[in-house]
């Protein structure tokens, strides 16, 4: 949700900023801008739309400098216009600021600033922050690095809300000041150059040594060094981390889109989610990051899973997987509801928040609310050192590598893999025997190959996508753990192709949804050979009786589906706790190929952002 990149050093800042912004475009792409400092003046360029538009604008009207800040916007306050694009400046026009987050009390601050003679040129909350910092700087006795940091500190003390910011001032030419609260900011350390970014992917091509800033920290960057302090005025310690992935893992490689690349990565990402976590000897899963002993795990009598979007669908699937393997009651909550619903939680409830980015505002708030109530709250995250990963009491990393496509794919299957590991671990502490545990491990070890075989269905799914791409409405149906997979299939299609799609438990069809069935409304049934296969067949018959086209996902070797469905995709057979990991793959591919067929921007669907760091 908005991306920030800043550079200070001896190279030309512009290519660093533009390349970084391109890598952060998944965080928002409503407008973009840069501010570059050279010879005591700052030049600003902005454009509505993608980074490509900004690059075009700069080609027409060049800028350069060795110090610069930049931003790609996902609009919250104010329409998508050039005026509302960042950077924003103060009344002197010499200070420029980019911001990620929401200043909640901006109206009050704006009115006070107007009374003090400030004029505003945008509808954003960010401009208020620029004026506040600028005003504090005007009032400082000196015009140096210390006073710019102090001005930022004084402004931040007045704001309520979230921020990740970068500030430059033409009067303090050797410094960039950054700060964070609630919106991520990472400092990159190079040789005589430093970087600031919302996400390491923006700077990993230049350095792998980084410092993840904490909330309420302010950093002053210079080419040759940096200083970190706090908003309250104290000093702050820091730890330099080494980024494990390299720049190539944030490139598309041979694929036309990140989404397709990430779908294809799934044999490896499910393997990485299990790597080192299965013990054949003890016939169980080892999840040391939970920071819980077996007796603490034994005492858990209820589990709550919270997440947003795709992570919520994974939680719903996790409910089936964990309950069936461990017999512990599991409940799912939208993270956004969890924070306000005040659900009664018993003492031995274990809460998990699930988030690929580890930065989703609602999920982070759910974590904090659960912890406030005294519950041990664990995180299932992909982004190492993300806020959720750092604030949770323990958890499990997905190890899926950077996910750039806005529509989540590989993180979903990694999450399901982790739920299976959790189910195995909790089940083995309770009722699963040693030999049952070993059987499960043997099945799980086959998973990467089964995923690879499922991806081989790509050309068949692409042909089916072409056939149905013009449909205006799509229904997805499944039973048990495949019901949330139906929801996820519908979400993928909505997100990237803008076709209206909804998911239901198959049996709910006759309670209303059946009214939607027409010759032009395809229904996709997830109907593997399982305990409810015959029930799904009956539901498919109900659709066919009303001339609705049916696509079915079945199990290899099945012949019954072919007799009644228009199109059938057969996936490898797998136990019930792994089958959803396979059945979702054709749905990811279907959404992808329909979106491509319709000419949609697969990796950057309209109005969406990958990491939603506002409420
Ligand atoms: C946004 C994205 C979704 C994602 C959700 C949760 O809405 O568009 O694709 O599933 O956030 O993201 P998280 O990073 O918390 O898993």
């Amino acid at each position: 949700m908005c991306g920030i990149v800043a550079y200070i050093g001896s190279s030309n800042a512009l290519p660093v900023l533009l390349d970084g912004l391109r890598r952060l475009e998944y965080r928002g792409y409503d407008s973009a801008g840069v501010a570059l400092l050279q010879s005591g003046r700052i030049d600003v360029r902005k454009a509505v739309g993608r980074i490509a538009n900004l690059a075009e604008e700069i080609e027409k009207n060049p800028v350069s400098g060795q110090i610069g800040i930049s931003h790609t916007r996902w609009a919250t306050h104010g329409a998508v216009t050039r005026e509302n694009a960042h950077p924003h400046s103060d009344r002197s026009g010499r200070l420029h600021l980019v911001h990620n987050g929401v200043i909640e009390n901006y109206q009050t601050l704006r009115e006070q600033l107007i009374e003090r003679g400030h004029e505003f040129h945008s509808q954003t909350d960010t401009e208020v922050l620029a004026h506040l910092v600028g005003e504090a700087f005007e009032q400082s006795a000196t015009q140096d690095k210390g006073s710019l940091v102090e001005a930022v500190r004084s402004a931040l003390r007045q704001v309520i809300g979230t921020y990740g910011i970068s500030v430059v001032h033409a009067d303090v030419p050797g410094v960039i000041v950054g700060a964070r609260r609630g919106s991520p900011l990472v400092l990159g350390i190079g040789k005589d150059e430093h970087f600031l970014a919302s996400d390491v992917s923006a700077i990993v091509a230049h350095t792998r040594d980084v410092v993840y800033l904490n909330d309420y920290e302010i950093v002053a960057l210079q080419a040759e060094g940096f200083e970190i302090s706090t908003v309250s005025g104290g000093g702050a310690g820091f730890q330099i981390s080494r980024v494990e992935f390299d720049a190539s893992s944030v490139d598309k490689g041979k694929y036309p889109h990140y989404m397709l690349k990430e779908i294809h990565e799934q044999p490896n990402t499910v393997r990485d989610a299990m790597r080192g976590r299965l013990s054949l000897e003890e016939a169980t899963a080892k999840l040391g990051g939970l920071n819980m002993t077996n007796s603490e795990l034994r005492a858990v009598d209820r589990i709550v899973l919270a997440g947003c979007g795709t992570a919520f669908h994974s939680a719903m699937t996790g409910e089936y997987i964990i309950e069936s393997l461990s017999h512990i009651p599991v409940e799912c909550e939208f993270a956004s509801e969890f924070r306000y619903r005040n659900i009664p939680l018993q003492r031995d409830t274990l809460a998990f928040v699930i988030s690929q980015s580890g930065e989703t505002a609602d999920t982070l708030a759910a974590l904090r609310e659960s912890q406030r109530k005294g519950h041990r709250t664990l995180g299932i995250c992909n982004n190492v050192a993300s806020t959720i990963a750092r604030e949770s009491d323990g958890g499990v990393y997905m190890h899926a590598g950077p996910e750039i496509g806005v529509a989540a794919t590989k993180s979903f299957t990694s999450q399901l893999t982790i739920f299976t590991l959790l189910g195995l671990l909790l089940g083995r502490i309770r009722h699963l025997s040693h030999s049952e545990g070993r059987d499960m491990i043997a099945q799980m070890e086959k998973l990467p190959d089964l995923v690879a075989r499922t991806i081989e269905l790509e050309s068949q799914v692409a042909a089916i996508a072409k056939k149905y791409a013009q449909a205006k409405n799509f229904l997805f149906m499944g039973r048990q753990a495949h019901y949330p997979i139906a929801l996820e299939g519908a979400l993928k299609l909505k997100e990237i192709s803008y076709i209206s799609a909804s998911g239901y438990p198959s049996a709910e069809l006759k309670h209303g949804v059946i009214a939607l069935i027409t010759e032009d409304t395809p229904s996709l049934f997830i109907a593997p050979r399982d305990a409810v296969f015959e029930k799904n067949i009956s539901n498919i018959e109900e659709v066919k009786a009303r001339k609705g086209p049916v696509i079915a996902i079945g199990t290899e070797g099945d012949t019954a589906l072919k007799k009644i469905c228009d199109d059938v995709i057969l996936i490898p057979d797998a136990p019930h706790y792994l089958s959803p990991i396979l059945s979702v793959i054709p749905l990811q591919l279907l959404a992808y190929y329909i979106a491509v067929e319709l000419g949609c921007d697969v990796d950057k669907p309209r109005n969406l952002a990958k990491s939603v760091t506002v409420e």
Side-chain angles (χ1 to χ4, degrees), residues 96-146:
H96 297 264
L97 179 148
V98 292
H99 167 226
N100 169 18
V102 173
I103 306 300
E104 289 167 18
N105 58 337
Y106 87 104
Q107 283 289 15
T108 317
L109 292 169
R110 189 179 158 113
E111 281 158 24
Q112 292 166 353
L113 282 159
I114 290 171
E115 273 172 29
R116 298 202 293 270
H118 291 253
E119 274 178 40
F120 285 84
H121 306 285
S122 78
Q123 290 88 49
T124 63
D125 51 338
T126 304
E127 198 182 356
V128 164
L129 201 46
H131 281 257
L132 279 180
V133 180
E135 190 180 63
F137 186 74
E138 280 165 20
Q139 290 163 0
S140 51
T142 53
Q143 308 276 282
D144 56 12
K145 183 181 82 174

Side-chain angles (χ1 to χ4, degrees), residues 308-311 354-358 360 363 406-408 495 608-610 612:
C308 298
T310 289
I354 300 117
S355 174
Q356 186 283 132
S357 62
T360 299
T363 314
V406 166
E495 279 181 310
L608 296 180
K610 183 143 190 79
V612 182

Side-chain angles (χ1 to χ4, degrees), residues 274 278 417 420-421 440-448 578:
M274 294 188 284
L278 288 170
T417 307
T420 309
L421 292 171
M440 265 193 76
I441 291 177
Q443 295 290 349
M444 291 188 76
E445 280 170 348
K446 290 186 212 155
L447 181 64
L578 296 179

Side-chain angles (χ1 to χ4, degrees), residues 1 26 307-313 354-361 363-364 380-383 388 398 403 405-409 411 415 488 491-492 495 605 607-613:
M1 189 117 304
Y26 72 88
C308 298
T310 289
F312 178 71
H313 293 155
I354 300 117
S355 174
Q356 186 283 132
S357 62
E359 301 292 349
T360 299
T363 314
L364 179 59
I380 298 179
C381 295
N382 191 31
N383 270 357
I388 292 177
M398 298 174 204
E403 189 179 66
V406 166
T409 51
S411 62
Q415 287 156 13
E488 176 60 9
L491 179 65
K492 289 286 90 82
E495 279 181 310
N607 304 339
L608 296 180
K610 183 143 190 79
S611 179
V612 182
T613 54

